[in-house]
Amino acid sequence: SEVAALDAITHAFPSDIPPPSLQAMKKIPPRSILPRPGLDPLFGFTLDGRGFAMGPDTPRPWTHVLANRQGHGVLIGNDGAQFSFSGNAQQNGLTPFTLDTVPAQSCAQAVYVTDLETGALVAPGLTPLRQSAAQEVRFEPGQAVLASAGADLALCMTVAVLPDEPVEVRVLRVENRSAHPRKLRLTAFAHLSLAELPQDSHGQIRTHFDPEL
C-alpha cells in the first residue's frame, strides 16, 4: 500500500533528513526508459505474451535456458551461441561454455547452409558467420527460435529439449525466395568437450560415423 511504501522510505532516510511526503512523491513525473540508439525496435514481448523477441544486437547477450528433469539442457544466447550440458551444467558440459557478458568470439555449436552454386553461407543466428541479414530471436516457454532473412533465402531454426529424454531437437525450416531451384548443403557443427573444460578431455574423445543413421 501507499502507507506501507511511505513508511519504508521514512525508515530508509537518516533521522536528520526529512523524508519526502506522499503528495510530493505523486508529483514526480514518471521516467521513460528508452532503448539504446540503434537497438532493434522489435525488442520486447510478442503479441500473445508467450515469448520475448529481440535481435542479436543488445548491450549484453540475453540467454535462454532449456532443460528437463533429467538435467539435460542447452543455453542459447540471442547472438546464436549455444552450450549443451547433461546432468551438471558445470562439470558435464557436452560442448564448451562460451556465453559471457560479451558476445561469444567462437561458438561451440553451429548450424549453417551453403549454396552449392554460389558458395554463399547462411546461418539462422548471428554466430558463426556474423552476417548482415535481418535476424530475430524469440525466447519462448520450452523453446528458442532463431530466424534470419536475406534477399533470396530465409532460415528459421527451433531449438527444444525433450521433456522425458536427454535429447535436444533442432528443426530448421529453409525458405527459397528466389525464382529458381537451388542446391543447398546443411552443415551441423559441435565442438565436443564432454568435460568441465575442453582441455580436460583433449586427446581422449574418439568418434565414429554410423552409416545406418
PDB file of all heavy atoms in Angstrom, residues 168-198:
ATOM      1  N   GLU A 168      18.235 -33.147 -27.399  1.00  0.00           N
ATOM      2  CA  GLU A 168      17.929 -31.821 -27.938  1.00  0.00           C
ATOM      3  C   GLU A 168      17.383 -31.982 -29.358  1.00  0.00           C
ATOM      4  O   GLU A 168      17.848 -32.830 -30.111  1.00  0.00           O
ATOM      5  CB  GLU A 168      19.177 -30.946 -27.974  1.00  0.00           C
ATOM      6  CG  GLU A 168      19.803 -30.698 -26.620  1.00  0.00           C
ATOM      7  CD  GLU A 168      21.151 -30.017 -26.742  1.00  0.00           C
ATOM      8  OE1 GLU A 168      21.362 -29.301 -27.739  1.00  0.00           O
ATOM      9  OE2 GLU A 168      22.002 -30.226 -25.861  1.00  0.00           O
ATOM     10  N   VAL A 169      16.421 -31.162 -29.698  1.00  0.00           N
ATOM     11  CA  VAL A 169      15.810 -31.208 -31.023  1.00  0.00           C
ATOM     12  C   VAL A 169      16.000 -29.855 -31.685  1.00  0.00           C
ATOM     13  O   VAL A 169      15.699 -28.813 -31.086  1.00  0.00           O
ATOM     14  CB  VAL A 169      14.313 -31.570 -30.940  1.00  0.00           C
ATOM     15  CG1 VAL A 169      13.686 -31.531 -32.331  1.00  0.00           C
ATOM     16  CG2 VAL A 169      14.121 -32.932 -30.296  1.00  0.00           C
ATOM     17  N   ARG A 170      16.496 -29.882 -32.909  1.00  0.00           N
ATOM     18  CA  ARG A 170      16.644 -28.669 -33.713  1.00  0.00           C
ATOM     19  C   ARG A 170      15.930 -28.876 -35.040  1.00  0.00           C
ATOM     20  O   ARG A 170      16.285 -29.770 -35.792  1.00  0.00           O
ATOM     21  CB  ARG A 170      18.126 -28.341 -33.935  1.00  0.00           C
ATOM     22  CG  ARG A 170      18.843 -27.859 -32.690  1.00  0.00           C
ATOM     23  CD  ARG A 170      20.346 -27.739 -32.900  1.00  0.00           C
ATOM     24  NE  ARG A 170      20.997 -27.125 -31.748  1.00  0.00           N
ATOM     25  CZ  ARG A 170      21.321 -27.774 -30.630  1.00  0.00           C
ATOM     26  NH1 ARG A 170      21.061 -29.071 -30.543  1.00  0.00           N
ATOM     27  NH2 ARG A 170      21.899 -27.148 -29.630  1.00  0.00           N
ATOM     28  N   VAL A 171      14.939 -28.046 -35.273  1.00  0.00           N
ATOM     29  CA  VAL A 171      14.153 -28.119 -36.513  1.00  0.00           C
ATOM     30  C   VAL A 171      14.454 -26.874 -37.331  1.00  0.00           C
ATOM     31  O   VAL A 171      14.200 -25.752 -36.887  1.00  0.00           O
ATOM     32  CB  VAL A 171      12.650 -28.223 -36.209  1.00  0.00           C
ATOM     33  CG1 VAL A 171      11.855 -28.268 -37.515  1.00  0.00           C
ATOM     34  CG2 VAL A 171      12.353 -29.443 -35.345  1.00  0.00           C
ATOM     35  N   LEU A 172      15.012 -27.079 -38.513  1.00  0.00           N
ATOM     36  CA  LEU A 172      15.389 -25.962 -39.389  1.00  0.00           C
ATOM     37  C   LEU A 172      14.453 -25.906 -40.588  1.00  0.00           C
ATOM     38  O   LEU A 172      14.297 -26.893 -41.308  1.00  0.00           O
ATOM     39  CB  LEU A 172      16.833 -26.125 -39.866  1.00  0.00           C
ATOM     40  CG  LEU A 172      17.349 -25.029 -40.801  1.00  0.00           C
ATOM     41  CD1 LEU A 172      17.440 -23.695 -40.076  1.00  0.00           C
ATOM     42  CD2 LEU A 172      18.709 -25.418 -41.389  1.00  0.00           C
ATOM     43  N   ARG A 173      13.847 -24.749 -40.785  1.00  0.00           N
ATOM     44  CA  ARG A 173      12.980 -24.517 -41.935  1.00  0.00           C
ATOM     45  C   ARG A 173      13.702 -23.585 -42.902  1.00  0.00           C
ATOM     46  O   ARG A 173      14.169 -22.510 -42.510  1.00  0.00           O
ATOM     47  CB  ARG A 173      11.647 -23.904 -41.505  1.00  0.00           C
ATOM     48  CG  ARG A 173      10.648 -23.734 -42.663  1.00  0.00           C
ATOM     49  CD  ARG A 173       9.382 -23.089 -42.158  1.00  0.00           C
ATOM     50  NE  ARG A 173       9.626 -21.716 -41.707  1.00  0.00           N
ATOM     51  CZ  ARG A 173       8.714 -20.971 -41.084  1.00  0.00           C
ATOM     52  NH1 ARG A 173       7.528 -21.470 -40.812  1.00  0.00           N
ATOM     53  NH2 ARG A 173       9.007 -19.744 -40.720  1.00  0.00           N
ATOM     54  N   VAL A 174      13.800 -24.010 -44.148  1.00  0.00           N
ATOM     55  CA  VAL A 174      14.502 -23.245 -45.175  1.00  0.00           C
ATOM     56  C   VAL A 174      13.485 -22.795 -46.217  1.00  0.00           C
ATOM     57  O   VAL A 174      12.725 -23.613 -46.747  1.00  0.00           O
ATOM     58  CB  VAL A 174      15.608 -24.092 -45.842  1.00  0.00           C
ATOM     59  CG1 VAL A 174      16.350 -23.264 -46.893  1.00  0.00           C
ATOM     60  CG2 VAL A 174      16.578 -24.623 -44.784  1.00  0.00           C
ATOM     61  N   GLU A 175      13.477 -21.509 -46.501  1.00  0.00           N
ATOM     62  CA  GLU A 175      12.552 -20.946 -47.492  1.00  0.00           C
ATOM     63  C   GLU A 175      13.347 -20.349 -48.646  1.00  0.00           C
ATOM     64  O   GLU A 175      14.157 -19.436 -48.465  1.00  0.00           O
ATOM     65  CB  GLU A 175      11.672 -19.864 -46.864  1.00  0.00           C
ATOM     66  CG  GLU A 175      10.703 -19.225 -47.850  1.00  0.00           C
ATOM     67  CD  GLU A 175       9.913 -18.101 -47.227  1.00  0.00           C
ATOM     68  OE1 GLU A 175      10.029 -17.893 -46.005  1.00  0.00           O
ATOM     69  OE2 GLU A 175       9.178 -17.414 -47.973  1.00  0.00           O
ATOM     70  N   ASN A 176      13.126 -20.884 -49.836  1.00  0.00           N
ATOM     71  CA  ASN A 176      13.777 -20.377 -51.037  1.00  0.00           C
ATOM     72  C   ASN A 176      12.930 -19.247 -51.611  1.00  0.00           C
ATOM     73  O   ASN A 176      11.834 -19.461 -52.120  1.00  0.00           O
ATOM     74  CB  ASN A 176      13.934 -21.506 -52.062  1.00  0.00           C
ATOM     75  CG  ASN A 176      14.624 -21.031 -53.331  1.00  0.00           C
ATOM     76  OD1 ASN A 176      15.204 -19.949 -53.372  1.00  0.00           O
ATOM     77  ND2 ASN A 176      14.546 -21.836 -54.377  1.00  0.00           N
ATOM     78  N   ARG A 177      13.429 -18.029 -51.533  1.00  0.00           N
ATOM     79  CA  ARG A 177      12.680 -16.872 -52.009  1.00  0.00           C
ATOM     80  C   ARG A 177      13.079 -16.432 -53.411  1.00  0.00           C
ATOM     81  O   ARG A 177      12.628 -15.398 -53.885  1.00  0.00           O
ATOM     82  CB  ARG A 177      12.869 -15.708 -51.037  1.00  0.00           C
ATOM     83  CG  ARG A 177      12.295 -15.986 -49.646  1.00  0.00           C
ATOM     84  CD  ARG A 177      12.437 -14.793 -48.725  1.00  0.00           C
ATOM     85  NE  ARG A 177      11.764 -15.018 -47.442  1.00  0.00           N
ATOM     86  CZ  ARG A 177      11.721 -14.133 -46.453  1.00  0.00           C
ATOM     87  NH1 ARG A 177      12.334 -12.944 -46.596  1.00  0.00           N
ATOM     88  NH2 ARG A 177      11.095 -14.411 -45.330  1.00  0.00           N
ATOM     89  N   SER A 178      13.930 -17.200 -54.045  1.00  0.00           N
ATOM     90  CA  SER A 178      14.331 -16.878 -55.416  1.00  0.00           C
ATOM     91  C   SER A 178      13.351 -17.509 -56.403  1.00  0.00           C
ATOM     92  O   SER A 178      12.461 -18.278 -56.015  1.00  0.00           O
ATOM     93  CB  SER A 178      15.753 -17.371 -55.690  1.00  0.00           C
ATOM     94  OG  SER A 178      15.802 -18.789 -55.638  1.00  0.00           O
ATOM     95  N   ALA A 179      13.528 -17.210 -57.682  1.00  0.00           N
ATOM     96  CA  ALA A 179      12.622 -17.707 -58.718  1.00  0.00           C
ATOM     97  C   ALA A 179      13.118 -18.997 -59.361  1.00  0.00           C
ATOM     98  O   ALA A 179      12.512 -19.474 -60.323  1.00  0.00           O
ATOM     99  CB  ALA A 179      12.428 -16.639 -59.798  1.00  0.00           C
ATOM    100  N   HIS A 180      14.196 -19.602 -58.845  1.00  0.00           N
ATOM    101  CA  HIS A 180      14.741 -20.803 -59.450  1.00  0.00           C
ATOM    102  C   HIS A 180      15.107 -21.810 -58.359  1.00  0.00           C
ATOM    103  O   HIS A 180      15.355 -21.435 -57.208  1.00  0.00           O
ATOM    104  CB  HIS A 180      15.978 -20.465 -60.287  1.00  0.00           C
ATOM    105  CG  HIS A 180      17.082 -19.862 -59.481  1.00  0.00           C
ATOM    106  ND1 HIS A 180      17.108 -18.515 -59.160  1.00  0.00           N
ATOM    107  CD2 HIS A 180      18.188 -20.422 -58.895  1.00  0.00           C
ATOM    108  CE1 HIS A 180      18.190 -18.261 -58.430  1.00  0.00           C
ATOM    109  NE2 HIS A 180      18.845 -19.397 -58.251  1.00  0.00           N
ATOM    110  N   PRO A 181      15.151 -23.105 -58.726  1.00  0.00           N
ATOM    111  CA  PRO A 181      15.549 -24.124 -57.740  1.00  0.00           C
ATOM    112  C   PRO A 181      16.992 -23.915 -57.301  1.00  0.00           C
ATOM    113  O   PRO A 181      17.814 -23.362 -58.037  1.00  0.00           O
ATOM    114  CB  PRO A 181      15.379 -25.444 -58.502  1.00  0.00           C
ATOM    115  CG  PRO A 181      14.466 -25.123 -59.640  1.00  0.00           C
ATOM    116  CD  PRO A 181      14.747 -23.695 -60.004  1.00  0.00           C
ATOM    117  N   ARG A 182      17.316 -24.385 -56.105  1.00  0.00           N
ATOM    118  CA  ARG A 182      18.654 -24.207 -55.569  1.00  0.00           C
ATOM    119  C   ARG A 182      19.140 -25.512 -54.952  1.00  0.00           C
ATOM    120  O   ARG A 182      18.351 -26.316 -54.464  1.00  0.00           O
ATOM    121  CB  ARG A 182      18.673 -23.088 -54.525  1.00  0.00           C
ATOM    122  CG  ARG A 182      18.043 -21.813 -55.013  1.00  0.00           C
ATOM    123  CD  ARG A 182      17.973 -20.766 -53.941  1.00  0.00           C
ATOM    124  NE  ARG A 182      19.299 -20.260 -53.578  1.00  0.00           N
ATOM    125  CZ  ARG A 182      19.483 -19.229 -52.765  1.00  0.00           C
ATOM    126  NH1 ARG A 182      18.432 -18.613 -52.244  1.00  0.00           N
ATOM    127  NH2 ARG A 182      20.690 -18.807 -52.479  1.00  0.00           N
ATOM    128  N   LYS A 183      20.462 -25.678 -54.973  1.00  0.00           N
ATOM    129  CA  LYS A 183      21.100 -26.819 -54.330  1.00  0.00           C
ATOM    130  C   LYS A 183      21.798 -26.316 -53.062  1.00  0.00           C
ATOM    131  O   LYS A 183      22.695 -25.478 -53.139  1.00  0.00           O
ATOM    132  CB  LYS A 183      22.103 -27.480 -55.270  1.00  0.00           C
ATOM    133  CG  LYS A 183      21.466 -28.138 -56.495  1.00  0.00           C
ATOM    134  CD  LYS A 183      22.519 -28.832 -57.345  1.00  0.00           C
ATOM    135  CE  LYS A 183      21.883 -29.519 -58.544  1.00  0.00           C
ATOM    136  NZ  LYS A 183      22.916 -30.214 -59.380  1.00  0.00           N
ATOM    137  N   LEU A 184      21.377 -26.851 -51.936  1.00  0.00           N
ATOM    138  CA  LEU A 184      21.886 -26.397 -50.657  1.00  0.00           C
ATOM    139  C   LEU A 184      22.482 -27.568 -49.880  1.00  0.00           C
ATOM    140  O   LEU A 184      22.058 -28.718 -50.041  1.00  0.00           O
ATOM    141  CB  LEU A 184      20.776 -25.749 -49.830  1.00  0.00           C
ATOM    142  CG  LEU A 184      20.007 -24.603 -50.491  1.00  0.00           C
ATOM    143  CD1 LEU A 184      18.845 -24.172 -49.605  1.00  0.00           C
ATOM    144  CD2 LEU A 184      20.926 -23.429 -50.787  1.00  0.00           C
ATOM    145  N   ARG A 185      23.430 -27.251 -49.027  1.00  0.00           N
ATOM    146  CA  ARG A 185      24.022 -28.250 -48.159  1.00  0.00           C
ATOM    147  C   ARG A 185      23.916 -27.770 -46.717  1.00  0.00           C
ATOM    148  O   ARG A 185      24.309 -26.652 -46.385  1.00  0.00           O
ATOM    149  CB  ARG A 185      25.491 -28.485 -48.521  1.00  0.00           C
ATOM    150  CG  ARG A 185      26.184 -29.519 -47.595  1.00  0.00           C
ATOM    151  CD  ARG A 185      27.568 -29.837 -48.101  1.00  0.00           C
ATOM    152  NE  ARG A 185      28.392 -28.652 -48.166  1.00  0.00           N
ATOM    153  CZ  ARG A 185      29.449 -28.526 -48.952  1.00  0.00           C
ATOM    154  NH1 ARG A 185      29.782 -29.507 -49.768  1.00  0.00           N
ATOM    155  NH2 ARG A 185      30.159 -27.414 -48.938  1.00  0.00           N
ATOM    156  N   LEU A 186      23.402 -28.631 -45.856  1.00  0.00           N
ATOM    157  CA  LEU A 186      23.238 -28.307 -44.454  1.00  0.00           C
ATOM    158  C   LEU A 186      24.414 -28.870 -43.664  1.00  0.00           C
ATOM    159  O   LEU A 186      24.759 -30.046 -43.788  1.00  0.00           O
ATOM    160  CB  LEU A 186      21.925 -28.880 -43.922  1.00  0.00           C
ATOM    161  CG  LEU A 186      21.683 -28.756 -42.407  1.00  0.00           C
ATOM    162  CD1 LEU A 186      21.577 -27.303 -42.001  1.00  0.00           C
ATOM    163  CD2 LEU A 186      20.442 -29.542 -42.007  1.00  0.00           C
ATOM    164  N   THR A 187      25.016 -28.024 -42.825  1.00  0.00           N
ATOM    165  CA  THR A 187      26.150 -28.439 -42.004  1.00  0.00           C
ATOM    166  C   THR A 187      25.821 -28.178 -40.539  1.00  0.00           C
ATOM    167  O   THR A 187      25.390 -27.080 -40.174  1.00  0.00           O
ATOM    168  CB  THR A 187      27.435 -27.672 -42.383  1.00  0.00           C
ATOM    169  OG1 THR A 187      27.730 -27.900 -43.761  1.00  0.00           O
ATOM    170  CG2 THR A 187      28.605 -28.138 -41.539  1.00  0.00           C
ATOM    171  N   ALA A 188      26.018 -29.199 -39.716  1.00  0.00           N
ATOM    172  CA  ALA A 188      25.845 -29.080 -38.268  1.00  0.00           C
ATOM    173  C   ALA A 188      27.197 -29.333 -37.609  1.00  0.00           C
ATOM    174  O   ALA A 188      27.849 -30.344 -37.885  1.00  0.00           O
ATOM    175  CB  ALA A 188      24.804 -30.065 -37.763  1.00  0.00           C
ATOM    176  N   PHE A 189      27.612 -28.423 -36.754  1.00  0.00           N
ATOM    177  CA  PHE A 189      28.928 -28.490 -36.118  1.00  0.00           C
ATOM    178  C   PHE A 189      28.781 -28.457 -34.607  1.00  0.00           C
ATOM    179  O   PHE A 189      27.933 -27.737 -34.060  1.00  0.00           O
ATOM    180  CB  PHE A 189      29.797 -27.313 -36.567  1.00  0.00           C
ATOM    181  CG  PHE A 189      30.996 -27.071 -35.694  1.00  0.00           C
ATOM    182  CD1 PHE A 189      32.146 -27.818 -35.850  1.00  0.00           C
ATOM    183  CD2 PHE A 189      30.970 -26.105 -34.700  1.00  0.00           C
ATOM    184  CE1 PHE A 189      33.256 -27.612 -35.033  1.00  0.00           C
ATOM    185  CE2 PHE A 189      32.061 -25.871 -33.890  1.00  0.00           C
ATOM    186  CZ  PHE A 189      33.208 -26.632 -34.054  1.00  0.00           C
ATOM    187  N   ALA A 190      29.600 -29.253 -33.922  1.00  0.00           N
ATOM    188  CA  ALA A 190      29.626 -29.236 -32.464  1.00  0.00           C
ATOM    189  C   ALA A 190      31.050 -29.496 -31.999  1.00  0.00           C
ATOM    190  O   ALA A 190      31.687 -30.464 -32.443  1.00  0.00           O
ATOM    191  CB  ALA A 190      28.677 -30.273 -31.883  1.00  0.00           C
ATOM    192  N   HIS A 191      31.550 -28.628 -31.135  1.00  0.00           N
ATOM    193  CA  HIS A 191      32.869 -28.812 -30.528  1.00  0.00           C
ATOM    194  C   HIS A 191      32.667 -29.616 -29.245  1.00  0.00           C
ATOM    195  O   HIS A 191      32.272 -29.074 -28.211  1.00  0.00           O
ATOM    196  CB  HIS A 191      33.504 -27.453 -30.229  1.00  0.00           C
ATOM    197  CG  HIS A 191      34.840 -27.557 -29.572  1.00  0.00           C
ATOM    198  ND1 HIS A 191      35.495 -26.458 -29.038  1.00  0.00           N
ATOM    199  CD2 HIS A 191      35.663 -28.617 -29.345  1.00  0.00           C
ATOM    200  CE1 HIS A 191      36.644 -26.844 -28.516  1.00  0.00           C
ATOM    201  NE2 HIS A 191      36.755 -28.145 -28.681  1.00  0.00           N
ATOM    202  N   LEU A 192      32.946 -30.908 -29.301  1.00  0.00           N
ATOM    203  CA  LEU A 192      32.709 -31.773 -28.155  1.00  0.00           C
ATOM    204  C   LEU A 192      33.775 -31.559 -27.096  1.00  0.00           C
ATOM    205  O   LEU A 192      34.962 -31.497 -27.391  1.00  0.00           O
ATOM    206  CB  LEU A 192      32.708 -33.243 -28.601  1.00  0.00           C
ATOM    207  CG  LEU A 192      31.597 -33.663 -29.565  1.00  0.00           C
ATOM    208  CD1 LEU A 192      31.733 -35.139 -29.900  1.00  0.00           C
ATOM    209  CD2 LEU A 192      30.226 -33.376 -28.987  1.00  0.00           C
ATOM    210  N   SER A 193      33.310 -31.465 -25.852  1.00  0.00           N
ATOM    211  CA  SER A 193      34.248 -31.366 -24.735  1.00  0.00           C
ATOM    212  C   SER A 193      34.034 -32.505 -23.741  1.00  0.00           C
ATOM    213  O   SER A 193      34.991 -33.089 -23.240  1.00  0.00           O
ATOM    214  CB  SER A 193      34.100 -30.018 -24.023  1.00  0.00           C
ATOM    215  OG  SER A 193      32.789 -29.892 -23.484  1.00  0.00           O
ATOM    216  N   LEU A 194      32.771 -32.838 -23.439  1.00  0.00           N
ATOM    217  CA  LEU A 194      32.440 -33.924 -22.514  1.00  0.00           C
ATOM    218  C   LEU A 194      33.200 -33.785 -21.201  1.00  0.00           C
ATOM    219  O   LEU A 194      33.676 -34.763 -20.618  1.00  0.00           O
ATOM    220  CB  LEU A 194      32.730 -35.292 -23.149  1.00  0.00           C
ATOM    221  CG  LEU A 194      32.069 -35.558 -24.509  1.00  0.00           C
ATOM    222  CD1 LEU A 194      32.389 -36.962 -24.979  1.00  0.00           C
ATOM    223  CD2 LEU A 194      30.572 -35.348 -24.434  1.00  0.00           C
ATOM    224  N   ALA A 195      33.336 -32.562 -20.736  1.00  0.00           N
ATOM    225  CA  ALA A 195      34.081 -32.274 -19.514  1.00  0.00           C
ATOM    226  C   ALA A 195      33.753 -30.857 -19.084  1.00  0.00           C
ATOM    227  O   ALA A 195      33.011 -30.127 -19.750  1.00  0.00           O
ATOM    228  CB  ALA A 195      35.572 -32.447 -19.727  1.00  0.00           C
ATOM    229  N   GLU A 196      34.326 -30.460 -17.942  1.00  0.00           N
ATOM    230  CA  GLU A 196      34.126 -29.091 -17.477  1.00  0.00           C
ATOM    231  C   GLU A 196      34.821 -28.099 -18.392  1.00  0.00           C
ATOM    232  O   GLU A 196      34.269 -27.049 -18.730  1.00  0.00           O
ATOM    233  CB  GLU A 196      34.651 -28.954 -16.051  1.00  0.00           C
ATOM    234  CG  GLU A 196      34.456 -27.548 -15.466  1.00  0.00           C
ATOM    235  CD  GLU A 196      34.903 -27.469 -14.026  1.00  0.00           C
ATOM    236  OE1 GLU A 196      35.270 -28.510 -13.451  1.00  0.00           O
ATOM    237  OE2 GLU A 196      34.874 -26.356 -13.465  1.00  0.00           O
ATOM    238  N   LEU A 197      36.046 -28.415 -18.822  1.00  0.00           N
ATOM    239  CA  LEU A 197      36.817 -27.595 -19.734  1.00  0.00           C
ATOM    240  C   LEU A 197      37.257 -28.435 -20.918  1.00  0.00           C
ATOM    241  O   LEU A 197      37.520 -29.640 -20.762  1.00  0.00           O
ATOM    242  CB  LEU A 197      38.048 -26.994 -19.027  1.00  0.00           C
ATOM    243  CG  LEU A 197      37.771 -26.101 -17.826  1.00  0.00           C
ATOM    244  CD1 LEU A 197      39.074 -25.720 -17.145  1.00  0.00           C
ATOM    245  CD2 LEU A 197      36.989 -24.865 -18.230  1.00  0.00           C
ATOM    246  N   PRO A 198      37.367 -27.852 -22.117  1.00  0.00           N
ATOM    247  CA  PRO A 198      37.781 -28.637 -23.285  1.00  0.00           C
ATOM    248  C   PRO A 198      39.141 -29.305 -23.104  1.00  0.00           C
ATOM    249  O   PRO A 198      39.354 -30.432 -23.570  1.00  0.00           O
ATOM    250  CB  PRO A 198      37.799 -27.598 -24.412  1.00  0.00           C
ATOM    251  CG  PRO A 198      36.903 -26.507 -23.958  1.00  0.00           C
ATOM    252  CD  PRO A 198      37.041 -26.467 -22.470  1.00  0.00           C
TER     253      PRO A 198
END
